[in-house]
Amino acid sequence: QVRLVQSGAEVKKPGASVKVSCKASGYSFTGQYIHWVRQAPGKGLEWMGWINPNSGATNYAQKFQGRVTLTTDTSISTAYMDLSSLRSDDTAVYFCARDRGSYDYWGQGTLVTVSS
Amino acid sequence: SYELTQSPSVSVSPGQTASITCSGDKLGEKYASWYQQKPGQSPVLVIYQDRKRPSGIPERFSGSNSGNTATLTISGTQAMDDADYYCQAWDRNTAWGVVFGGGTKLTVL
């Protein structure tokens, strides 16, 4: 069965970077784009960007351009989201999701807390 | 940038029909998807391509999309349907970026 398993919770200081992983299984990893979506505490879903694991092509939401980098390692079917220059308002749960025109499978979420 | 607007909250009695709307400019010309999210859980896809239900989603969930409004309808609402619901669409003007509505809290009381 399809699974997306994300790395564990992180606590970071303002100005630092965080890298969250998303390991896919149960399907051909290079066949579908992976998206990253975040959700601040008590807030709605916010799209961050997508990556095509087959080509490495990316598309980032304007809000995150220059701060977010999406990559994949196809040899281990894993996608990564790297967010730099962290601020307190980056505190959120970060999700990866598989794109089949809509998001049919989601990771369990990774809580990133930014605090001094 | 493209925006999707949802009412913050909707209330419904058990067994009644709940309608949750999502509005955006010419939204009917795009495909809309809907996600259900319960506290502490990842979102779950309940409607895609305006009106299709993924495997395992009950028939009481249905969708439509026309003009500027997409609608998620839950017939015979059950207590387990109490959750947040988000609409989602693609924005071709941002090289196929994605937009979410702000979410609607459905309360079944």
Side-chain angles (χ1 to χ4, degrees):
Chain A
Q1 74 282 24
V2 174
R3 292 191 72 196
L4 298 175
V5 179
Q6 299 183 221
S7 49
E10 303 263 12
V11 179
K12 296 291 183 181
K13 294 192 181 301
S17 297
V18 68
K19 191 168 189 175
V20 178
S21 67
C22 169
K23 182 170 177 60
S25 61
Y27 74 101
S28 174
F29 180 65
T30 54
Q32 274 84 44
Y33 289 23
I34 291 288
H35 291 231
W36 290 86
V37 176
R38 78 176 187 180
Q39 186 171 38
K43 302 297 185 181
L45 301 174
E46 181 174 33
W47 178 74
M48 299 181 70
W50 55 249
I51 183 166
N52 177 348
N54 190 48
S55 67
T58 55
N59 183 19
Y60 302 133
Q62 187 171 9
K63 174 177 180 176
F64 299 102
Q65 285 190 7
R67 281 210 304 144
V68 69
T69 303
L70 303 183
T71 57
T72 58
D73 183 340
T74 56
S75 69
I76 55 172
S77 300
T78 299
Y80 301 93
M81 186 282 299
D82 198 321
L83 186 63
S84 62
S85 303
L86 290 169
R87 308 184 288 256
S88 59
D89 62 359
D90 290 317
T91 294
V93 176
Y94 290 76
F95 295 99
C96 61
R98 187 178 80 157
D99 171 11
R100 292 292 303 274
S102 49
Y103 302 133
D104 60 348
Y105 286 93
W106 295 67
Q108 82 276 21
T110 297
L111 175 62
V112 176
T113 302
V114 183
S115 174
S116 55
Chain B
S1 62
Y2 195 75
E3 293 184 359
L4 295 174
T5 301
Q6 297 181 239
S7 298
S9 62
V10 169
S11 297
V12 65
S13 300
Q16 299 303 303
T17 296
S19 294
I20 299 172
T21 60
C22 173
S23 62
D25 185 50
K26 298 180 181 178
L27 179 56
E29 297 179 7
K30 310 175 189 291
Y31 275 141
S33 300
W34 290 92
Y35 301 87
Q36 175 194 71
Q37 187 182 32
K38 297 181 179 180
Q41 298 184 18
S42 301
V44 173
L45 179 66
V46 294
I47 293 289
Y48 67 101
Q49 290 183 11
D50 297 337
R51 61 182 63 249
K52 297 182 179 179
R53 277 180 296 103
S55 174
I57 299 302
E59 291 185 9
R60 64 180 180 274
F61 288 87
S62 63
S64 63
N65 187 14
S66 179
N68 295 322
T69 304
T71 303
L72 172 69
T73 302
I74 309 172
S75 304
T77 305
Q78 300 183 8
M80 68 174 65
D81 302 328
D82 192 300
D84 293 325
Y85 291 86
Y86 295 91
C87 59
Q88 174 250 313
W90 293 82
D91 182 7
R92 69 177 65 185
N93 292 327
T94 56
W96 299 107
V98 169
V99 180
F100 285 100
T104 297
K105 173 69 175 88
L106 176 67
T107 301
V108 182
L109 40 67

